[in-house]
Amino acid sequence: MNQLRHFQYPRFARRWIKLSAGLERRGLAGLREQTLTGLVGRVIEVGCGNGLNFRHYPAGVDEVIAVEPDDTLRTAAEYAAETAPIPVSVVAGHADDLPGADGSYDAAVVTLVLCSVPEPASALAELRRVLRPGGQLRLLEHVRAHNRVAARFQDLISPISAKLDAGCRQGRDTGSAVRDAGFAVSGLKRFSFPDRPWVPGQPMICGTAVLADEAPV
């Protein structure tokens, strides 16, 4: 557990637990469901937070191993697991050192996680390791804006958000990082959240990736 001492953000965790309820009502719950639709078999979820994905897993999932380093969020996730429609085991851990042998999962899930891991390339390499050949990576992440001015603003506020929001880096180009890690992305959707014309939205992506050499031609 000592290795997790660098991943403790109790103030952010308490704030996120309160804030996330409103975001779910504003459409994040629906995005989670879209991200998880069709999953089957054994799944690892990395950075499960307070367990808001759990109720959206489809019946075809046999088991979810949910990894969360922050003690406060992990406790909340354990409560959420009790009422999940499929078996969920919440475990302490982090993205650079995942539980499980090579190729031991049918799918991996990351939602609002890759913005805050210390080294995205290392985390994605570890996800590749634990996925079986042909396994899927499902992702729902906020990403770098295409607009140059908006992207520059993200860069400016990233040091602040990293301090306040558990290491979150606003301007990460997560889609490119996933491809650079050897994944092929299929059906990737890009959108703003919340999708309201009078509210500046956060650029986000949602989609599925498989190892490039396992992707259909």
Side-chain angles (χ1 to χ4, degrees):
M1 296 294 288
N2 286 341
Q3 63 178 323
L4 298 182
R5 66 185 183 278
H6 300 301
F7 298 92
Q8 302 305 313
Y9 299 93
R11 289 184 181 177
F12 165 78
R14 291 190 293 267
R15 182 159 48 87
W16 172 252
I17 289 170
K18 294 178 181 178
L19 176 66
S20 60
L23 294 174
E24 296 298 294
R25 291 192 296 270
R26 291 167 66 186
L28 193 53
L31 293 172
R32 293 181 190 278
E33 187 151 359
Q34 289 178 40
T35 303
L36 303 179
T37 295
L39 283 175
V40 295
R42 192 166 187 250
V43 177
I44 184 167
E45 181 177 338
V46 181
C48 69
N50 48 333
L52 295 178
N53 281 337
F54 297 167
R55 65 189 181 95
H56 298 291
Y57 278 101
V61 171
D62 298 323
E63 176 190 24
V64 174
I65 304 300
V67 180
E68 174 53 49
D70 182 86
D71 294 346
T72 303
L73 290 174
R74 191 170 61 254
T75 297
E78 289 167 351
Y79 283 112
E82 294 175 1
T83 56
I86 41 84
V88 178
S89 299
V90 180
V91 300
H94 59 90
D96 290 340
D97 186 16
L98 297 176
D102 295 1
S104 55
Y105 297 97
D106 299 295
V109 171
V110 286
T111 58
L112 308 179
V113 170
L114 293 177
C115 61
S116 60
V117 296
E119 296 293 338
S122 176
L124 287 162
E126 184 68 349
L127 285 163
R128 284 195 58 170
R129 181 188 70 78
V130 298
L131 279 172
R132 66 166 176 78
Q136 296 185 350
L137 171 63
R138 298 288 184 93
L139 58 154
L140 172 65
E141 297 285 343
H142 69 78
V143 295
R144 188 171 188 82
H146 280 165
N147 179 282
R148 239 188 266 180
V149 174
R152 178 59 180 154
F153 177 72
Q154 287 177 314
D155 290 340
L156 288 172
I157 67 172
S158 272
I160 299 170
S161 65
K163 282 188 174 182
L164 297 179
D165 297 334
C168 174
R169 296 286 177 177
Q170 291 282 332
R172 279 187 173 167
D173 187 356
T174 296
S176 294
V178 170
R179 293 185 180 93
D180 291 346
F183 287 94
V185 179
S186 61
L188 183 69
K189 294 187 289 187
R190 187 181 177 98
F191 53 94
S192 293
F193 177 81
D195 187 16
R196 297 177 182 177
W198 61 90
V199 178
Q202 171 73 53
M204 295 188 73
I205 56 172
C206 174
T208 300
V210 295
L211 297 186
D213 56 0
E214 297 289 344
V217 178

